[in-house]
Amino acid sequence: MTAASNKNRKLIVKLLAVVAAMIGLSFASVPLYNLFCSTTGFGGTTRRAAAAPEAVAGRVITVSFNADVNRDLAWEFHPMQTAVRFRVGEVGIAKYSARNKSAVPVVGTAVFNVQPDKAGPYFNKIECFCFTEQLLAPGEAAEFPVTFFIDPAIMDDPDMADVTDITLSYTFYRAKDQSKARAAALALHEGTGKGTIPPTTLQ
């Protein structure tokens, strides 16, 4: 093997290693980006809290609710209230309604954000249906609750002084993993489900 051939071979190996690293980074980028957003509130992403704050402020903010469904998911999905006024630090509960319009069980997953984007770090969820994937049987309808509060730290941020309205939005997508839906469909087909599927536990 000539020196030139050996050099070319090493170059090809290096290029292949770079390509493999880029592919691996592309797969990791989504969960890393989601983790970054949920930690910082970047892009209007809300935060997850273990408990409500002890203090409730006098400032009132109107929280509006929005719902969308990706075209690949044959579900109806809408908020059960248009808007509610909450005091900062007060725990609020909102509900969304969903119905599977298809003839087969389907697993859906919800993504979310708030507007304006800068309110993301201060909008905290204690419980939410978006924390887990949701399974709906054919024609099944379910109520999906979300428990949240606005962090009192918003009172100390001068950039948030003009925020009087926050919109909480969800979009439901068809989950990539439909194994639970296939199992439910098989149970229906074999008659073990007796034509129904137990409602998914909401979290």
Side-chain angles (χ1 to χ4, degrees):
M1 181 179 293
T2 65
S5 297
N6 189 43
K7 185 177 181 180
N8 289 337
R9 184 178 180 182
K10 290 182 178 179
L11 178 60
I12 291 174
V13 171
K14 289 180 180 179
L15 288 174
L16 289 174
V18 170
V19 171
M22 292 178 67
I23 293 174
L25 182 60
S26 68
F27 279 104
S29 62
V30 173
L32 287 175
Y33 178 78
N34 290 339
L35 176 61
F36 171 75
C37 288
S38 63
T39 302
T40 64
F42 180 78
T45 302
T46 62
R47 291 186 173 184
R48 185 170 180 174
E54 296 181 0
V56 176
R59 179 177 172 183
V60 176
I61 292 179
T62 299
V63 179
S64 300
F65 305 93
N66 182 65
D68 295 292
V69 181
N70 181 265
R71 62 183 181 181
D72 293 331
L73 184 65
W75 284 14
E76 291 178 352
F77 177 55
H78 60 83
M80 299 179 68
Q81 60 285 298
T82 304
V84 182
R85 290 167 57 85
F86 292 97
R87 289 188 297 167
V88 171
E90 179 183 5
V91 175
I93 299 177
K95 291 184 179 181
Y96 284 74
S97 176
R99 184 176 72 88
N100 180 5
K101 299 188 297 180
S102 73
V104 295
V106 182
V107 178
T109 182
V111 298
F112 53 86
N113 79 321
V114 297
Q115 293 293 329
D117 287 352
K118 63 182 181 180
Y122 301 102
F123 200 100
N124 290 260
K125 296 177 184 175
I126 300 174
E127 296 289 343
C128 182
F129 60 91
C130 58
F131 294 163
T132 59
E133 295 179 340
Q134 303 296 332
L135 169 65
L136 290 182
E140 181 184 5
E143 293 183 1
F144 294 154
V146 53
T147 305
F148 63 92
F149 65 88
I150 299 170
D151 193 333
I154 196 174
M155 304 284 289
D156 302 322
D157 187 344
D159 189 43
M160 299 298 295
D162 62 335
V163 175
T164 58
D165 298 87
I166 296 176
T167 299
L168 175 62
S169 297
Y170 289 95
T171 301
F172 251 111
Y173 291 83
R174 181 183 177 88
K176 291 183 178 180
D177 183 2
Q178 291 292 320
S179 56
K180 292 182 180 179
R182 288 192 293 271
L186 180 61
L188 286 174
H189 179 71
E190 294 180 345
T192 57
K194 297 182 181 179
T196 60
I197 300 174
T200 305
T201 301
L202 302 181
Q203 299 186 31

